[in-house]
Amino acid sequence: MERPAWAPPGIDISVPSVSRIYDYYLGGSHNFEVDREAARKAMEFVPGLPKIMQANRAMMRRAVRYAVSEGITQFLDIGSGIPTFGNVHEVAQKASPDARVVYVDHDPVAVAHSRAVLEGIDHADIAGADLRKPQDIIDSPEVTRLLDLDRPVALLLVFVLHFIEDSDEPRRAVAALRDALAPGSMLLVTHASYDGIPVDKERVGAAVDVYKDIRNPLIMRTREEIAGFFDGFELVEPGLVSMANWRPDTPAEQEDPYAFSGYAGVGRKA
């Protein structure tokens, strides 16, 4: 297999990566055949996976604009993946030119490519760190340099918590990050669930098994379990709803049925 020029040295390009699979779903070019093969296998069972990812990105952009409208100009995006058009810094800095954004990811491809994309862009950077180790994120040079944690921050956990198994204590990690943030900060969560997907649970389970096979288990949680991540935050209207129903720009009924998969919500720290 020929190694592309953009692939960082030292990574195994024969092993699928969830961030590169996500990039493929969104129509990006920073993925390998092994990633595309895994994505196509999952799409055999849930063909609307790309639409789910697009709905996720669209909700994220709406939430970023909402945060800026509420006076927040600092963003911490954990599990940010490989940058695509309309990423957080583009949306936030269009709404507020002084907005500051720190991306965080543990995938070396995502980190390397993000650094290339962000070169020369003021007030945006990426840290190589893992959500499972929240203190490493809080203490990272990028967060220390760009974010003032004594002022409100929007914490984005966009389609990342469902890759953290319960044994790795994701609620503990979220709570540690919450406790490091100032009052008035916001938490944005989008999360996969069996709820809302317009195919039967057996087919969804077969797609979930694809992620298990590549050693990136996808943890499908209930609405109640996802709501638990907002402990210490007050959900803003319309609460914890499908991605298509979170403050849509156009009538939600016009959306593809797959856009109603999973849950999305924004909470504010008192």
Side-chain angles (χ1 to χ4, degrees):
M1 184 185 303
E2 185 177 350
R3 177 179 292 273
W6 54 264
I11 68 159
D12 185 349
I13 64 175
S14 68
V15 176
S17 153
V18 292
S19 64
R20 297 193 304 267
I21 292 171
Y22 186 64
D23 177 70
Y24 173 73
Y25 287 142
L26 291 173
S29 59
H30 289 83
N31 48 77
F32 306 134
E33 180 55 32
V34 67
D35 307 307
R36 296 188 285 273
E37 182 180 346
R40 288 191 292 263
K41 187 173 182 182
M43 288 168 62
E44 290 176 10
F45 304 105
V46 183
L49 279 167
K51 184 61 190 178
I52 294 173
M53 307 310 162
Q54 292 163 18
N56 176 58
R57 296 285 298 182
M59 183 273 166
M60 177 273 290
R61 290 190 287 267
R62 297 195 302 273
V64 168
R65 290 193 294 267
Y66 170 74
V68 174
S69 75
E70 292 291 303
I72 294 180
T73 57
Q74 301 188 106
F75 296 84
L76 180 58
D77 182 2
I78 302 176
S80 52
I82 296 170
T84 56
F85 175 74
N87 218 355
V88 175
H89 72 279
E90 294 174 323
V91 178
Q93 292 179 354
K94 182 177 180 180
S96 176
D98 294 328
R100 294 171 176 261
V101 179
V102 175
Y103 296 105
V104 179
D105 208 287
H106 73 285
D107 183 333
V109 171
V111 173
H113 188 54
S114 296
R115 285 186 176 141
V117 168
L118 297 172
E119 187 174 358
I121 296 176
D122 292 337
H123 308 322
D125 205 347
I126 183 160
D130 194 315
L131 175 57
R132 297 171 184 85
K133 299 179 179 179
Q135 196 62 45
D136 288 355
I137 296 172
I138 295 163
D139 294 338
S140 68
E142 294 81 8
V143 167
T144 301
R145 180 173 65 85
L146 280 176
L147 303 184
D148 178 1
L149 299 187
D150 291 327
R151 295 174 46 239
V153 172
L155 170 62
L156 279 63
L157 299 175
V158 176
F159 265 25
V160 63
L161 285 166
H162 51 226
F163 291 114
I164 310 295
E165 298 183 79
D166 290 339
S167 59
D168 286 321
E169 300 182 281
R171 288 183 64 169
R172 178 197 57 81
V174 175
L177 292 163
R178 176 201 65 210
D179 292 347
L181 301 181
S185 293
M186 290 185 179
L187 170 65
L188 160 61
V189 170
T190 59
H191 198 296
S193 176
Y194 286 110
D195 298 345
I197 302 180
V199 294
D200 63 60
K201 188 172 181 179
E202 288 71 25
R203 290 180 64 84
V204 179
V208 169
D209 286 343
V210 172
Y211 285 87
K212 187 183 300 182
D213 290 344
I214 64 172
R215 298 181 182 178
N216 283 282
L218 182 59
I219 312 302
M220 306 292 274
R221 295 188 170 98
T222 65
R223 185 180 186 279
E224 182 180 8
E225 289 170 330
I226 297 165
F229 291 117
F230 287 95
D231 285 353
F233 294 88
E234 182 178 351
L235 281 163
V236 304
E237 290 295 333
L240 188 60
V241 296
S242 71
M243 293 179 290
N245 280 320
W246 198 90
R247 297 177 181 256
D249 294 327
T250 57
E253 59 266 21
Q254 297 178 7
E255 281 284 1
D256 184 287
Y258 279 99
F260 297 90
S261 307
Y263 289 101
V266 173
R268 188 191 304 270
K269 181 178 176 180

